[in-house]
């Protein structure tokens, strides 16, 4: 579904991503793990069209998407939940969700989309008139994911959905990620915290200093001696 080949990208002359190749199959959840500064957010920005790669190719459903504008990529069915959610804090939950369904393809499905995200996140109905900035971190993350789903994506990208949240809240966020996968969405998430993210992923990529240092199935990841030592503390 998503195929990234030999991607190089950076900021000015500063190269961040070096020869990155990643695939996400339809209905799969893929986790890209790696330490702070590895290039995880840069990778998602490039896929979302917010940053132009210097070389390499990105195909989505067999169409080339690198070089397309961010709104075109949303129209094609890829949505990004940026780190921290980036809701409009002074707007209500409802208005934030409206912002998510503004593209041409999905505007007319606003009501259906709203029903669907409310069935996933009950909080949306209870709090629809609340100002987003007054919600807790976990609630904001849920609304941010809901807003991304309002654009009816086929592929949902999550930038560190657990960042800054208490362990109990993190567990419930990953429960939602699982539920989203069960509803048939493909998911590409990046995370620093290894253990929780691994549980919901089918495939894992390890990104270090902008290079893919490992990729494989969850089971291979958990059994890899180097990963056990460096990331799992075993
Ligand atoms: N807007 C930017 N301008 C210049 N350098 C940046 C910018 N954003 C990130 N970087 C640099 O790119 C590298 C990778 O950053 P990032 O993709 O945010 O990593 P991660 O999300 O894995 O923590 C870091 O060295 C960071 O300082
Ligand atoms: Mg980041």
């Amino acid at each position: 579904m998503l195929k990234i080949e030999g991607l190089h990208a950076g900021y000015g002359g500063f190269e961040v991503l070096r020869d990155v190749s990643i695939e996400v199959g339809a209905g799969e959840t893929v986790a890209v793990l790696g330490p702070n500064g590895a290039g995880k957010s840069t990778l998602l920005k490039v896929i979302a069209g917010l940053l132009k790669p210097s070389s390499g190719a990105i195909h989505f459903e067999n169409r080339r998407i690198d070089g397309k504008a961010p709104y075109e990529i949303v129209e094609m069915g890829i949505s990004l939940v940026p780190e921290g959610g980036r809701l409009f804090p002074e707007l209500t939950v409802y208005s934030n969700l409206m912002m998510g369904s503004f593209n041409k393809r999905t505007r007319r499905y606003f009501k259906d989309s709203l029903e669907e995200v409310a069935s996933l996140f009950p909080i949306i109905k209870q709090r629809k008139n609340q100002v987003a900035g007054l919600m807790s971190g976990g609630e904001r993350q849920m609304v941010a994911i809901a807003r991304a789903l309002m654009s009816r994506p086929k592929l949902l990208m999550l930038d560190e959905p657990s960042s800054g949240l208490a362990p109990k809240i993190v567990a419930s966020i990953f429960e939602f990620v699982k539920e989203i996968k069960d509803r048939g969405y493909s998911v590409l998430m990046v995370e620093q915290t290894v253990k929780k993210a691994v549980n919901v992923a089918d495939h894992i990529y390890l990104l270090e200093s902008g290079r893919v240092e490992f990729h494989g199935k969850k089971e291979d990841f958990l059994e890899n001696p180097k990963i056990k030592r460096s990331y799992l503390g075993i």
Side-chain angles (χ1 to χ4, degrees), residues 11 14 16 34-43 45 159-160 192:
Y11 304 93
F14 176 55
V16 174
N36 192 21
K40 304 181 299 297
S41 297
T42 302
L43 172 68
K45 279 188 237 170
D159 194 345
E160 300 207 30
Q192 253 187 81

Side-chain angles (χ1 to χ4, degrees), residues 109-188:
Y109 301 119
F110 175 72
K111 275 204 168 139
D112 291 345
S113 307
L114 192 62
E115 280 305 315
E116 187 174 348
V117 300
S119 73
L120 189 61
F121 301 109
I123 187 174
I124 295 223
K125 281 227 163 113
Q126 300 148 15
R127 307 283 194 88
K128 85 180 184 346
N129 296 317
Q130 181 165 0
V131 170
L134 297 177
M135 302 178 104
S136 72
E139 290 164 350
R140 285 202 305 271
Q141 185 61 250
M142 286 176 210
V143 176
I145 295 172
R147 181 179 62 181
L149 293 176
M150 290 297 291
S151 72
R152 304 176 84 89
K154 297 169 193 163
L155 174 68
L156 180 70
M157 301 198 295
L158 303 166
D159 194 345
E160 300 207 30
S162 75
S163 165
L165 302 177
K168 228 172 107 178
I169 311 295
V170 171
S172 68
I173 295 286
F174 283 118
E175 279 303 311
F176 283 117
V177 172
K178 227 170 132 226
E179 169 107 26
I180 288 166
K181 176 203 160 80
D182 290 344
R183 290 190 182 199
Y185 294 92
S186 306
V187 178
L188 175 61

